């Protein structure tokens, strides 16, 4: 083994990868022959029904006279329209993420006293075990903040003497603790990466129990701990809009699958977080940011529709950006005519752009939003409506908040853990049956060949 070099190992892996590819190909036509729903999707793109939930409702179409027709997108948390929820707390100039967590977990909106007690409970739980930041987070800096977060969440299991107890009271205790602490885990993981891998200064700010999640996030991420109220309120709205999106999205379905095995809360959350980090799920908004960076660099006049359209056509024809032919941030698996989250976030993002003097960028985003659907129809011969999803404006919002690119997907996780926790409790309470779908084997029978005859 002393002569077995890295170069030899690399060549061997390359050779084995070819062998692996040769023996892992399944004829795509077989999926139709056996009526397999790839991606758990029907032929029309609708998800295969795999469970029931009362936590949220996601609708983008309706049946009219026996036909499925597109409708304006609808999102409801525990039956309450997301527009009414956001309008309710913004009209009172309140932060809404904490009462959204309460709503998702307990199925009803809190009154003033209940919300006050719940905020104090979250504030009390915003503390990691003694020396955890130094011994776990700072000691293992990772360029992938989501992986660093998963490692820390799994490590917390060792500090919980009741980690495997699936009693509802215990799971709720664990869930509230993780909801309260994941902003710190994410922020400190980013700051460790920033210091140890980017060679920049290190600062660690403790959260304040009396502040909202959004306020504490900005306080922890910024060296001077300063932020404007309008910034915290936009971030709060973004957290509310990302908190939950039905049981069928990839990371929440992961919550149901992993929870159904009887595993502990820390393992469940870590698994869901690892699902979310994928570029087809929580990492999608980073693609939007990079696409707009390309558009800004290649379109000289952001007010010229013809020039913008010409570059979008290049993207669609796989001649620009990442050559995939996709305009990121446009379209959604469920929503067709509109994504209600995108409409809400757009309103507050455009307002902040006006305050910060970034009107030109705001105009460019709105121009692409207006032009892209028609161009996509022309180039792709698409007939169903296409509209922006929440990723379209979220990147612009986060850039105005000076949220680092590496922190954007972790921010999604900070919000979505509220929904994951609610779904974990629902799975433990209602189903109590391990999720085990079937896979049909299409392998041919083979005989064992002695090693000296191969």
């Amino acid at each position: 083994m002393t002569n077995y070099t890295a170069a030899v190992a690399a060549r061997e892996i390359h050779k084995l990868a070819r062998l692996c590819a040769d023996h892992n190909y399944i004829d795509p036509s077989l999926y139709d022959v056996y009526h397999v729903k790839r991606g758990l999707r029907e032929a029309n793109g609708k998800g295969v029904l795999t469970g029931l939930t009362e936590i949220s409702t996601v609708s983008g179409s309706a049946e009219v006279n026996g036909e499925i027709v597109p409708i304006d997108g609808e999102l409801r948390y525990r039956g309450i329209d997301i527009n009414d929820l956001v309008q309710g707390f913004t009209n009172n100039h309140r932060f809404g993420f904490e009462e959204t967590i309460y709503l998702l977990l307990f199925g009803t909106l809190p009154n003033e006293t209940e919300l006050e007690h719940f905020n104090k409970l979250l504030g009390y739980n915003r503390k990691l075990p003694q020396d955890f930041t130094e011994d776990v987070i700072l000691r293992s800096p990772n360029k992938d903040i989501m992986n660093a977060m998963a490692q820390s969440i799994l490590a917390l299991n060792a500090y919980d003497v009741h980690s495997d107890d699936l009693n509802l009271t215990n799971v709720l205790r664990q869930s509230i603790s993780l909801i309260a602490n994941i902003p710190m885990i994410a922020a400190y993981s980013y700051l460790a990466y920033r210091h140890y891998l980017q060679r920049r200064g290190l600062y660690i700010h403790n959260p304040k129990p009396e502040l909202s999640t959004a306020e504490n996030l900005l306080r922890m991420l910024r060296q001077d701990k300063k932020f404007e109220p309008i910034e915290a309120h936009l971030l709060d709205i973004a957290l509310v809009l990302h908190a939950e999106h039905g049981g069928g999205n990839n990371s929440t379905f992961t919550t149901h699958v992993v929870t159904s095995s009887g595993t502990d809360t820390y393992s469940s959350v870590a698994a869901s977080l690892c699902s979310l980090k994928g570029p087809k799920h929580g990492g999608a908004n980073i693609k939007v940011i990079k696409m707009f960076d390309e558009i800004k660099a290649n379109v000289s006049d952001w007010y010229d529709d013809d020039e913008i359209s010409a570059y979008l056509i290049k993207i669609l024809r796989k001649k620009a950006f990442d050559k995939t032919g996709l305009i990121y941030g446009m379209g959604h698996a469920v929503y067709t005519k509109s994504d209600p989250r995108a409409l809400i976030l757009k309103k507050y993002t455009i307002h902040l752009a006006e305050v910060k003097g970034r009107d030109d960028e705001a105009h460019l985003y709105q121009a692409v939003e207006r032009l892209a659907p028609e161009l996509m129809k022309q180039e792709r011969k698409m007939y169903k409506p296409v509209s922006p999803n929440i990723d379209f404006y979220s990147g612009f919002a986060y850039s105005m908040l000076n949220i680092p690119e590496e922190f954007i997907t972790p921010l999604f996780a900070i919000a979505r853990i509220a929904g994951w926790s609610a779904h974990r409790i629902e799975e433990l309470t209602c189903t109590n049956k391990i999720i085990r779908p079937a896979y049909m084997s299409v392998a041919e029978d083979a005989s064992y060949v002695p090693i000296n005859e191969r």
Side-chain angles (χ1 to χ4, degrees):
M1 291 296 292
T2 54
N3 296 324
Y4 201 91
T5 65
V8 172
R11 286 196 298 272
E12 187 66 18
I13 289 291
H14 185 71
K15 182 177 71 176
L16 290 171
R18 291 199 301 270
L19 180 66
C20 193
D22 291 341
H23 290 272
N24 281 280
Y25 175 80
I26 295 176
D27 184 347
S29 67
L30 293 178
Y31 289 93
D32 294 327
V33 171
Y34 294 109
H35 308 290
V36 176
K37 313 297 184 183
R38 281 194 285 180
L40 290 180
R41 301 274 186 90
E42 301 284 0
N44 62 5
K46 189 175 181 180
V48 173
L49 188 61
T50 58
L52 304 174
T53 183
E54 289 187 343
I55 297 167
S56 68
T57 306
V58 183
S59 303
S61 60
E63 186 172 333
V64 178
N65 297 325
E67 282 189 42
I68 303 298
V69 297
I71 60 171
D72 288 323
E74 185 177 274
L75 173 61
R76 293 178 176 271
Y77 290 173
R78 295 287 188 174
I80 298 174
D81 190 288
I82 191 67
N83 291 282
D84 296 337
L85 180 64
V86 172
Q87 188 174 8
F89 63 77
T90 54
N91 282 351
N92 294 137
H93 305 289
R94 291 184 292 108
F95 291 99
F97 184 53
E98 287 69 30
E99 71 178 81
T100 299
I101 297 169
Y102 189 102
L103 172 64
L104 293 173
L105 287 178
F106 308 117
T108 184
L109 286 169
N111 60 34
E112 290 184 359
T113 301
E114 290 167 337
L115 182 58
E116 180 184 356
H117 289 170
F118 188 62
N119 282 334
K120 287 180 179 178
L121 180 62
L122 288 174
Y124 171 79
N125 276 279
R126 285 191 181 109
K127 54 184 179 185
L128 293 167
Q130 186 174 357
D131 299 328
F132 186 89
T133 301
E134 293 83 356
D135 292 345
V136 177
I137 299 177
L138 296 182
R139 187 163 289 182
S140 303
N142 193 324
K143 68 181 185 301
D144 190 313
I145 312 304
M146 293 286 277
N147 281 359
M149 292 168 63
Q151 177 179 319
S152 292
I153 288 168
L154 288 172
L156 284 172
N157 180 84
Y159 294 80
D160 186 350
V161 296
H162 301 292
S163 62
D164 295 321
D165 184 354
L166 297 185
N167 177 276
L168 176 59
T169 300
N170 188 58
V171 171
L172 181 60
R173 173 190 63 81
Q174 294 170 329
S175 298
I176 289 173
S177 175
L178 285 172
I179 289 169
N181 282 319
I182 198 169
M184 298 162 63
I185 292 171
Y188 298 164
S189 296
Y190 167 72
L191 293 170
Y193 154 77
R194 180 183 184 273
H195 175 65
Y196 292 105
L197 301 182
Q198 291 191 322
R199 302 301 179 187
R200 300 167 70 187
L202 178 65
Y203 53 89
I204 299 290
H205 303 319
N206 292 324
K208 286 191 171 183
E210 69 272 18
L211 295 182
S212 68
T213 303
E215 291 172 304
N216 270 315
L217 275 168
L218 294 176
R219 168 187 164 81
M220 289 188 290
L221 285 173
R222 295 182 178 181
Q223 189 164 359
D224 62 5
K225 298 182 281 191
K226 295 179 180 177
F227 55 87
E228 297 297 324
I230 190 175
E231 295 178 311
H233 280 287
L234 175 58
L235 181 54
D236 177 70
I237 289 168
L239 292 173
V240 169
L241 296 175
H242 283 93
E244 162 61 9
H245 209 241
N249 69 79
N250 196 278
S251 58
T252 305
F253 186 58
T254 297
T255 298
H256 281 279
V257 172
V258 176
T259 296
S260 76
S261 75
T263 194
D264 63 278
T265 300
Y266 303 97
S267 296
S268 172
V269 171
S272 300
L273 191 143
C274 291
S275 165
L276 183 72
K277 68 167 284 193
K280 295 180 181 179
H281 191 9
N285 48 20
I286 295 176
K287 279 287 192 179
V288 179
I289 294 171
K290 293 184 180 297
M291 180 187 74
F292 267 96
D293 286 342
E294 288 282 324
I295 294 173
K296 292 171 189 175
N298 289 278
V299 175
S300 59
D301 186 351
W302 297 354
Y303 288 82
D304 186 337
D305 283 0
D306 291 338
E307 188 179 1
I308 296 170
S309 294
Y311 194 75
L312 292 177
I313 289 172
K314 284 184 179 180
I315 292 176
L316 288 168
R317 293 178 180 174
K318 303 181 180 182
K319 296 180 179 179
F321 188 42
D322 62 358
K323 311 294 176 62
T324 61
L326 300 175
I327 296 180
Y328 292 96
M330 298 299 299
H332 190 268
V334 177
Y335 300 124
T336 50
K337 293 180 69 175
S338 63
D339 179 341
R341 305 167 302 167
L343 294 175
I344 295 170
L345 191 60
K346 173 185 175 180
K347 173 184 172 182
Y348 292 95
T349 300
I350 297 302
H351 177 59
L352 183 61
E354 293 169 353
V355 172
K356 287 185 171 284
R358 295 176 66 169
D359 305 73
D360 291 343
E361 285 178 83
H363 178 86
L364 177 62
Y365 272 82
Q366 292 176 94
V368 173
E369 175 191 0
R370 176 169 43 84
L371 298 168
E374 189 58 37
L375 295 173
M376 292 170 70
K377 289 179 185 177
Q378 294 172 10
E379 292 292 317
R380 298 284 175 77
K381 303 296 187 280
M382 295 171 59
Y383 300 102
K384 71 173 186 177
V386 179
S387 61
N389 59 50
I390 191 170
D391 294 325
F392 190 85
Y393 279 101
S394 63
F396 184 32
Y398 297 149
S399 73
M400 289 190 290
L401 296 176
N402 296 317
I403 300 291
E405 184 179 298
E406 299 91 341
F407 199 75
I408 289 176
T409 309
L411 196 59
F412 197 159
I414 291 167
R416 188 54 63 86
I417 192 174
W420 295 337
S421 299
H423 279 275
R424 174 167 169 78
I425 290 169
E426 188 176 63
E427 180 68 31
L428 289 171
T429 304
C430 302
T431 309
N432 196 28
K433 189 175 181 67
I434 191 168
I435 295 174
R436 192 192 184 284
Y439 268 64
M440 175 178 284
S441 174
V442 291
E444 295 180 358
D445 290 347
S447 300
Y448 179 81
V449 180
I451 192 167
N452 60 338
E453 296 178 15
R454 296 174 200 166

